[in-house]
């Protein structure tokens, strides 16, 4: 207490020191004193009020405790009195046992009297109920059945209460009401028939279906009442619980399964499209049934049955089982696609579960897959394996069919632009297109896989195509009269290569995602290379055909007969032009290549004729005449190939210029300038070898052995500065029997 007083004084001193820090504050001392006095009075008043409130609460609590103590004493006394009365009444209860037995007997007799009418009329009531069932009056029949069951159950219950171990009397009652059990089974049979045909009945006679549901609901209530009584007494009548509601749903479930399974009208042997038809019938039946269930059936059942959702679940389960069964069969590729398309797309589409009339009760996002992902993956794997085998077989068959066309006596068909072609590219890519369209119905991933498969098999197919084209050429060379339209079909092979290229690009553009293009770029490049090779070899085969016809005329070049005025080059030009009338039916990219190659080979053969030294000019006059003839014939070639390749940018000048350059060497009249002219020729065409120069000087006929040796040795020592745009041509020309040592000898 003293400590608190000291703390209070210290606090007061601190407060006063805080208020009187300046001299001018001394004038306000009286004001401060009054303010502190008011605060003190206020605090004291609140303190007194709080203490008073606490005292009142304590007083009230003590009073209530006193009252509670008195109540406990009263209760204790009452319990003592009750215990005394109970002990005194035990003997009285024993004396009333006979009364109790009389009451039980009275209750049994009362039950018997109450059910007396039904007891004596059981056979008659059963017959009436059966007649009502036959007449379709199910509700009235059930009412009579309920009355009979109530009478039996009450009698058996009273017997059970009197003597639960007396099975003889219980069996006697049960036997007496035996026809009633048969009546119940007959009624149930009628109910299940209506339930099985509920989707038909609800449209023709909804009242009948409602009656069935009401009967089932009655039985459910009786079941619940009997089960409650069993908990209290241990007694339950025979045949209870009937569980007709559960049986009804089981019947509906079996009906749905049977309806799904029964939609298969055909087999693979009788109809190739059996699965498509089967799935379409399922789709139609399920959609129709669910629409009926939502619009009509739902109104015939109590809300707590949730009949539409239950039926939806049953149909989904039945469909899942059926799809599993179909997936386990040995399906063909097209059947796998039909099944997966239906399961993955059709099922949740607007044509079925996504139908607007089924929403919002049916949420397609909440529907599980009819087939597990594992089964789907297995089907896709099997489909890809089967498709691979099918594509290989289709491509082989298509090529065999095309090969048969190659030996026909009639020309191949021409497209709208007049280019020869066969049906092979159209058949191949129509097959690819059909399979890609089918795969696209399932999902984009499968579409991409099928496209990759098609391109992969296309690669292998092109290799076989190339081999067959080579065999075709070899067979023709054995007898050039056969096949009759060899040239035309070889042109068609070339054009097919261009068609294949365009079709591959079109296919990729249509079915390949942009981000996948890089992955296939190498494969595409490889196919382009193979197609170019096939076309190049076919062009070469055609040119071989041309040059076999030209061979007699090429052999006349640079001979005495040629110098005397042979028309070999004219014949060559006419023959080439005649062949190129057919070659005009080659598509532009390869026609340009064909023209360039023909031009190059004509020039090569002409130069080869020079290098074979079939003629050696005897004097300047002959050299001049021969050189001028060469220049003239070079101009003929130039004119011919300009005519054959108008606007193609063909380098007719460069190739024909080689012949003119050689002619200038031969035409030269001053032998002292021969080295200069030859060195100019070598600088322009650096692939000229020593044997070419030696052969050329031999044809001139006026170069001595020393001059030839000097020119060749000097040229070997000189620097070579080839034109970067020059395509070597002399490397293809050999001088077989002539070597420099032999020449010098």
């Amino acid at each position: 207490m003293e400590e608190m007083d000291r703390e209070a004084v210290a606090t007061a001193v601190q407060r006063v020191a805080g208020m009187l820090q300046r001299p001018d504050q001394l004038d306000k001392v009286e004001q401060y004193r009054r303010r502190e006095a008011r605060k003190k009075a206020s605090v004291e008043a609140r303190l007194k009020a709080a203490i008073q409130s606490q005292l009142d609460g304590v007083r009230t609590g003590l009073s209530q405790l006193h009252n509670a103590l008195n109540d406990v004493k009263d209760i204790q006394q009452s319990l003592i009195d009750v215990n005394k009365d109970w002990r005194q009444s035990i003997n009285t209860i024993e004396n009333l046992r006979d009364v109790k037995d009389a009451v039980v007997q009275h209750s049994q007799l009362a039950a018997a009297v109450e059910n007396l009418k039904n007891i004596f009329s059981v056979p008659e009531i059963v017959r009436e109920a059966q007649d009502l069932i036959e007449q379709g009056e199910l509700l009235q029949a059930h009412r009579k059945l309920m009355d009979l069951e109530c009478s039996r159950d009450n009698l058996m219950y009273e017997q059970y209460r009197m003597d639960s171990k007396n099975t003889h009397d219980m069996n006697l009652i049960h036997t007496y009401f035996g026809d009633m059990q048969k009546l119940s089974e007959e009624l149930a049979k009628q109910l299940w028939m209506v339930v099985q045909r509920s989707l038909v009945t609800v449209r023709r006679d909804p009242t009948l279906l409602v009656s069935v549901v009401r009967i089932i609901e009655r039985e459910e209530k009786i079941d619940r009442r009997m089960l409650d009584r069993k908990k209290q007494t241990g007694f339950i009548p025979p045949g209870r619980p009937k569980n007709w509601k559960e049986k009804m749903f089981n019947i509906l479930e079996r009906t749905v399964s049977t309806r799904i399974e029964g939609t298969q009208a055909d087999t693979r042997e009788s109809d190739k499209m059996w699965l498509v038809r089967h799935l379409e019938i399922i789709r139609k039946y399920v959609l129709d049934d669910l629409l009926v269930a939502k619009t009509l059936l739902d109104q015939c059942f109590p809300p707590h049955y949730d009949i539409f959702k239950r039926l939806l679940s049953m149909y989904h389960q039945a469909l899942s089982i059926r799809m599993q069964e179909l997936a386990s069969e040995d399906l063909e590729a097209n059947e796998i696609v039909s099944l997966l398309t239906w399961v993955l797309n059709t099922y949740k589409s607007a044509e079925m579960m996504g139908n607007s009339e089924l929403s919002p009760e049916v949420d397609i996002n909440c529907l599980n897959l009819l087939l597990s992902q594992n089964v789907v993956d297995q089907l896709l794997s099997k489909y890809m394996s089967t498709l691979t085998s099918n594509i290989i077989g289709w491509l082989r068959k298509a090529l065999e069919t095309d090969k048969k066309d190659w030996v026909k006596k009639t020309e191949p068909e021409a497209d709208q632009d007049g280019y020869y072609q066969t049906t092979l590219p159209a058949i191949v890519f129509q097959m690819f297109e059909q399979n890609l369209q089918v795969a696209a119905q399932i999902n984009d991933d499968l579409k991409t896989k099928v496209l990759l498969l098609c391109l992969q098999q296309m690669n292998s197919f092109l290799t076989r195509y190339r081999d067959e084209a080579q065999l075709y050429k070899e067979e023709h060379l054995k007898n050039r009269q056969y096949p009759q339209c060899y040239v035309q079909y070889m042109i068609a092979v070339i054009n097919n290569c261009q068609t294949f290229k365009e079709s591959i690009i079109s296919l990729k553009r249509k079915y390949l995602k942009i981000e996948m293009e890089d992955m296939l770029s190498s494969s595409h490049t490889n196919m382009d290379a193979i197609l170019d090779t096939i076309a190049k070899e076919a062009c070469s085969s055609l040119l071989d055909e041309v040059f076999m016809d030209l061979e007699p005329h090429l052999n006349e070049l640079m001979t005495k007969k040629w110098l005397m005025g042979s028309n070999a080059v004219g014949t060559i030009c006419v023959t080439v032009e005649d062949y190129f009338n057919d070659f005009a039916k080659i598509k532009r990219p390869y026609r340009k290549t064909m023209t360039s190659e023909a031009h190059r080979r004509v020039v090569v053969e002409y130069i080869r004729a020079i290098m074979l030294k079939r003629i050696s000019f005897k004097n300047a006059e002959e050299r001049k005449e021969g050189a001028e003839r060469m220049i003239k014939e070079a101009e003929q070639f130039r004119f011919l190939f300009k005519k054959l390749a108008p606007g193609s940018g063909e380098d007719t000048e460069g190739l024909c210029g080689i012949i003119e350059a050689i002619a200038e060497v031969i035409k030269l009249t001053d032998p002292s300038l021969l080295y200069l002219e030859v060195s100019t020729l070598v600088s322009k065409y650096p692939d000229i070898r020593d044997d070419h120069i030696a052969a050329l000087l031999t044809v001139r006929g006026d170069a001595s052995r020393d001059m030839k040796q000097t020119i060749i040795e000097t040229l070997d020592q000189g620097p070579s500065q080839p034109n970067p745009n020059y395509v070597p041509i002399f490397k293809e020309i050999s001088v077989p029997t002539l070597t420099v040592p032999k020449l010098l000898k």
Side-chain angles (χ1 to χ4, degrees):
M1 198 63 185
E2 293 178 357
E3 182 67 26
M4 293 177 64
D5 289 342
R6 283 197 297 272
E7 287 182 3
V9 170
T11 303
V13 170
Q14 189 175 1
R15 283 176 59 82
V16 170
M19 289 187 290
L20 302 176
Q21 291 181 352
R22 297 191 306 276
D24 58 328
Q25 291 179 327
L26 292 174
D27 295 337
K28 300 180 180 179
V29 169
E30 186 61 28
Q31 181 180 349
Y32 292 152
R33 188 183 64 76
R34 286 196 299 273
R35 185 176 66 186
E36 293 301 321
R38 284 196 300 273
K39 287 183 179 180
K40 178 182 177 185
S42 174
V43 170
E44 287 177 348
R46 290 200 301 273
L47 184 60
K48 287 178 181 179
I51 292 173
Q52 185 64 40
S53 175
Q54 291 292 330
L55 289 174
D56 291 343
V58 171
R59 189 180 296 112
T60 302
L62 290 173
S63 176
Q64 291 176 346
L65 286 173
H66 181 70
N67 293 335
L69 180 61
N70 292 334
D71 292 340
V72 169
K73 289 179 179 179
D74 292 341
I75 292 169
Q76 186 178 14
Q77 185 59 43
S78 298
L79 288 173
I80 291 171
D81 295 341
V82 168
N83 186 48
K84 186 187 298 183
D85 293 340
W86 175 74
R87 290 183 182 278
Q88 292 174 354
S89 65
I90 291 176
N91 294 330
T92 305
I93 293 172
E94 290 295 329
N95 295 333
L96 292 175
R97 182 174 297 278
D98 294 339
V99 177
K100 178 183 177 183
D101 293 341
V103 169
V104 171
Q105 290 177 0
H106 180 271
S107 175
Q108 291 174 345
L109 290 172
V113 169
E114 183 181 349
N115 295 285
L116 196 61
K117 181 180 179 182
N118 289 338
I119 291 172
F120 287 110
S121 306
V122 168
E124 182 182 348
I125 295 173
V126 168
R127 283 195 300 272
E128 291 176 357
Q130 287 175 338
D131 292 340
L132 289 171
I133 291 174
E134 291 176 1
Q135 296 168 13
E137 301 294 338
L138 301 182
L139 275 175
Q140 295 182 34
H142 184 251
R143 171 56 63 186
K144 292 186 177 295
L145 175 64
M146 288 172 63
D147 292 341
L148 289 175
E149 286 182 337
C150 183
S151 299
R152 183 202 64 178
D153 296 347
N154 288 340
L155 288 173
M156 295 184 79
Y157 175 61
E158 293 301 333
Q159 177 61 38
Y160 179 83
R161 286 177 61 193
M162 185 173 67
D163 186 2
S164 61
K165 296 181 180 179
N166 188 351
T167 56
H168 178 268
D169 289 348
M170 296 287 278
N171 290 335
L172 183 64
I173 297 171
H174 183 63
T175 303
Y176 184 77
F177 284 90
D179 290 341
M180 184 196 67
Q181 183 62 32
K182 296 178 181 178
L183 179 64
S184 177
E185 293 172 358
E186 181 65 26
L187 178 61
K189 183 178 178 181
Q190 294 298 318
L191 297 183
W192 306 147
M193 288 176 61
V194 174
V195 170
Q196 285 176 346
R197 303 181 72 253
S198 57
L199 290 170
V200 177
T201 305
V202 75
R203 283 180 275 196
R204 295 179 179 176
D205 187 6
T207 305
L208 178 60
L209 184 60
V210 171
S211 298
V212 170
V213 175
R214 288 180 61 187
I215 292 171
I216 292 172
E217 273 294 281
R218 286 176 182 175
E219 291 294 337
E220 285 294 302
K221 289 179 181 178
I222 296 172
D223 280 350
R224 289 194 294 270
R225 190 165 65 247
M226 293 298 106
L227 289 171
D228 290 341
R229 188 163 70 177
K230 181 184 178 183
K231 291 178 182 178
Q232 297 171 3
T233 65
F235 171 76
I236 188 166
R240 292 288 176 184
K242 291 185 178 181
N243 294 323
W244 277 9
K245 180 180 177 181
E246 181 181 344
K247 290 179 181 178
M248 179 197 72
F249 281 119
N250 289 338
I251 293 292
L252 280 174
E253 190 168 351
R254 287 199 297 272
T255 302
V256 168
S257 297
T258 303
R259 186 159 173 78
I260 297 299
E261 292 170 1
T263 54
Q264 183 174 343
D266 303 300
T267 61
R268 184 182 294 117
E269 290 73 21
S270 61
D271 187 354
K272 291 288 186 182
M273 302 297 289
W274 69 275
L275 184 57
V276 174
R277 296 182 188 279
H278 180 38
L279 294 173
E280 176 58 20
I281 293 172
I282 289 177
R283 183 199 68 78
K284 188 176 184 303
Y285 280 12
V286 171
L287 179 59
D288 289 347
D289 291 353
L290 289 178
L291 288 173
V292 170
K294 181 185 175 185
T295 55
L296 299 177
L297 200 64
D298 206 32
Q299 301 173 16
C300 298
F301 286 80
H304 66 271
Y305 275 54
D306 202 6
I307 189 66
F308 179 73
K309 287 292 179 65
R310 293 289 291 269
L311 271 175
L312 177 64
S313 176
M314 291 176 191
Y315 272 102
H316 182 82
Q317 183 64 24
L319 286 172
S320 180
I321 293 171
R322 184 56 183 155
M323 295 305 114
Q324 294 279 1
E325 292 172 351
L326 291 172
S328 64
E329 294 185 15
D330 187 17
L331 298 177
E332 297 177 356
N334 62 317
E335 293 169 350
I336 292 174
V337 169
S338 298
L339 180 62
L340 288 178
T341 302
W342 198 93
V343 168
L344 300 178
N345 299 328
T346 304
Y347 182 61
K348 293 186 179 182
S349 71
E351 297 177 353
M352 199 170 176
M353 293 303 187
N355 190 288
S356 58
E357 295 183 37
L358 292 178
S359 61
E361 285 78 5
V362 178
D363 184 358
I364 58 174
N365 296 318
C366 297
L367 292 174
N368 295 325
L369 288 175
L370 293 176
L371 292 175
S372 67
Q373 190 59 47
N374 184 42
V375 174
V376 171
D377 291 341
Q378 288 177 3
L379 285 173
L380 288 174
S381 176
K382 181 179 179 182
Y383 171 72
M384 290 301 294
S385 176
T386 306
L387 182 61
T388 301
S389 300
N390 288 346
I391 288 178
I392 292 172
W394 291 331
L395 290 174
R396 184 179 294 112
K397 184 177 180 181
L399 184 53
E400 290 298 323
T401 303
D402 205 55
K403 282 168 55 183
K404 292 178 182 177
D405 291 343
W406 294 355
V407 296
K408 286 183 177 179
K409 295 181 180 180
T410 56
E411 293 183 355
E413 296 179 358
D415 64 12
Q416 58 186 6
D417 297 318
Y419 298 122
Y420 285 136
Q421 63 178 6
T422 66
T423 57
L424 182 63
I427 291 172
V428 169
F429 282 92
Q430 183 180 8
M431 176 191 67
F432 287 169
E433 183 87 20
Q434 288 173 350
N435 283 285
L436 284 166
Q437 288 175 356
V438 167
Q441 294 174 7
I442 298 178
N443 55 45
D444 287 343
D445 184 52
L446 180 63
K447 179 185 69 176
T448 302
K449 287 182 179 178
V450 171
L451 177 60
L452 293 175
L453 173 63
C454 291
L455 295 178
Q456 178 185 356
Q457 293 304 321
M458 186 68 189
N459 242 331
S460 304
F461 167 76
L462 290 177
T463 302
R464 294 196 298 273
Y465 191 48
R466 178 186 178 186
D467 294 342
E468 293 297 339
Q470 285 297 317
L471 289 173
Y472 183 54
K473 172 189 173 182
E474 292 170 8
E475 287 297 318
H476 172 70
L477 292 178
K478 293 177 183 177
N479 179 5
R480 291 188 63 208
Q481 302 303 316
Y482 178 83
Q484 187 174 331
C485 296
Y486 168 78
V487 172
Q488 289 80 1
Y489 277 100
M490 193 59 83
I491 290 173
V493 169
I494 297 170
N495 289 338
N496 285 350
C497 292
Q498 181 62 23
T499 305
F500 277 131
K501 277 188 175 183
E502 295 167 356
S503 299
I504 291 170
I505 293 171
S506 174
L507 208 63
K508 289 174 64 178
R509 186 181 296 119
K510 186 174 181 180
Y511 291 102
L512 188 65
K513 294 179 180 178
I514 298 176
E515 56 268 23
M516 297 287 290
E517 287 185 0
D518 292 341
M519 187 177 73
L520 289 178
S521 59
S522 60
S523 174
H524 190 173
T525 303
N526 186 42
M527 279 189 286
D528 277 356
I530 295 175
L531 287 167
D532 285 338
T533 300
I534 296 171
K536 184 177 179 181
E537 289 175 350
C539 288
S540 180
S541 298
L542 289 175
L543 288 178
D544 288 345
E545 189 76 5
V546 175
F547 280 88
M548 279 189 280
D549 286 349
L550 294 180
E551 187 173 358
H553 310 293
L554 291 171
N555 289 336
E556 285 187 18
L557 296 177
M558 306 307 294
T559 62
K560 290 290 185 181
K561 182 179 179 181
W562 168 79
L563 188 61
M564 296 297 294
S566 167
N567 193 33
V569 170
T571 305
I572 290 171
C573 290
V574 169
T575 304
V576 170
E577 187 172 3
D578 182 56
Y579 268 101
F580 267 82
N581 286 332
D582 285 337
F583 297 165
K585 297 185 183 291
I586 299 175
K587 291 185 177 180
R588 184 175 296 277
Y590 295 123
R591 186 169 74 233
K592 180 180 177 181
T593 303
M594 187 82 159
T595 307
S596 300
E597 182 62 16
H599 188 185
R600 189 191 64 78
R601 286 183 66 170
V602 165
V603 172
V604 166
E605 292 300 326
Y606 195 95
I607 296 174
R608 179 176 285 114
I610 298 173
M611 298 303 168
L612 288 175
K613 309 185 299 294
R614 293 172 182 158
I615 189 173
S616 179
F617 299 114
K618 296 180 179 179
N619 51 53
E621 188 63 31
E622 281 191 0
R623 284 193 290 275
K624 180 181 179 183
E625 184 180 348
E628 288 177 352
R629 188 170 185 82
M630 290 170 63
I631 293 170
K632 177 184 176 184
E633 289 172 347
E635 187 59 35
Q636 283 181 268
F637 290 144
R638 183 180 287 114
F639 176 79
L640 171 65
F641 288 104
K642 278 186 177 180
K643 180 180 178 182
L644 295 179
S648 65
E650 176 66 26
D651 182 20
T652 55
E653 299 295 335
L655 288 170
C656 294
I658 300 175
I659 299 175
E660 293 174 338
I662 293 173
E664 291 299 327
V665 173
I666 294 174
K667 184 180 180 181
L668 188 67
T669 55
D670 187 355
S672 62
L673 299 176
L674 192 58
Y675 167 74
L676 183 61
E677 195 68 36
V678 171
S679 64
T680 302
L681 182 67
V682 172
S683 65
K684 289 177 68 177
Y685 311 108
D687 60 321
I688 294 180
R689 301 189 301 274
D690 292 350
D691 52 352
H692 294 140
I693 297 171
L696 180 57
L697 295 176
T698 300
V699 171
R700 256 188 74 87
D702 64 342
S704 64
R705 183 181 62 183
D706 293 338
M707 181 183 293
K708 292 176 185 177
Q709 185 175 3
T710 302
I711 291 173
I712 290 172
E713 290 176 353
T714 306
L715 288 173
D716 286 342
Q717 297 172 3
S720 176
Q721 295 181 345
N723 183 346
N725 297 323
Y726 172 65
V727 179
I729 194 170
F730 284 94
K731 66 179 183 180
E732 301 178 34
I733 303 170
S734 59
V735 186
T737 58
L738 181 63
T739 61
V740 173
K742 288 182 180 180
L743 176 64
L744 296 178
K745 289 178 183 179

